[in-house]
Amino acid sequence: MKSFRAFDNSELMFNMSHLTKLECDPNNWHSFLVSWRHLLDNQTGASVLKQNTEILRDLFYNKVKGVPELSRDITDYERMRTDDPRRSYEFLYESMVNAVHRQQTAR
């Protein structure tokens, strides 16, 4: 009976290891975002990871903090107080989505 099965932490670790290994290519952010979303949307254990936005925030921040085109957003993020609700995974993710959009529009 799968519905009564306890969550297996190995599923979460499997997903985390894939997200950790994912590299953000400064020349192809769209590919990074597609791969990031694919990992979150299609792997077992991703729903638990999605519920812990602090882990996602920290992982995502470490992936994108060196992207020059995000420097202003990253500076804003780093200046936010730790209890500021805007200091979030959503802020970082949307900043990256907007940067991808700007990059694609400029081409």
Side-chain angles (χ1 to χ4, degrees), residues 50-66:
K50 286 180 189 177
Q51 292 171 13
N52 194 335
T53 57
E54 290 176 357
I55 290 174
L56 280 178
R57 179 197 64 208
D58 294 346
L59 277 171
F60 199 76
Y61 169 77
N62 285 320
K63 297 293 181 187
V64 302
K65 67 182 176 183

Side-chain angles (χ1 to χ4, degrees), residues 5 7-8 11-13 15-16 19 37-56:
R5 185 181 75 147
F7 180 75
D8 182 357
E11 295 172 350
L12 178 60
M13 294 309 295
N15 197 331
M16 289 281 296
L19 287 173
R37 287 301 328 164
H38 177 75
L39 287 170
L40 287 178
D41 291 342
N42 296 313
Q43 288 193 8
T44 306
S47 62
V48 171
L49 186 57
K50 286 180 189 177
Q51 292 171 13
N52 194 335
T53 57
E54 290 176 357
I55 290 174
L56 280 178

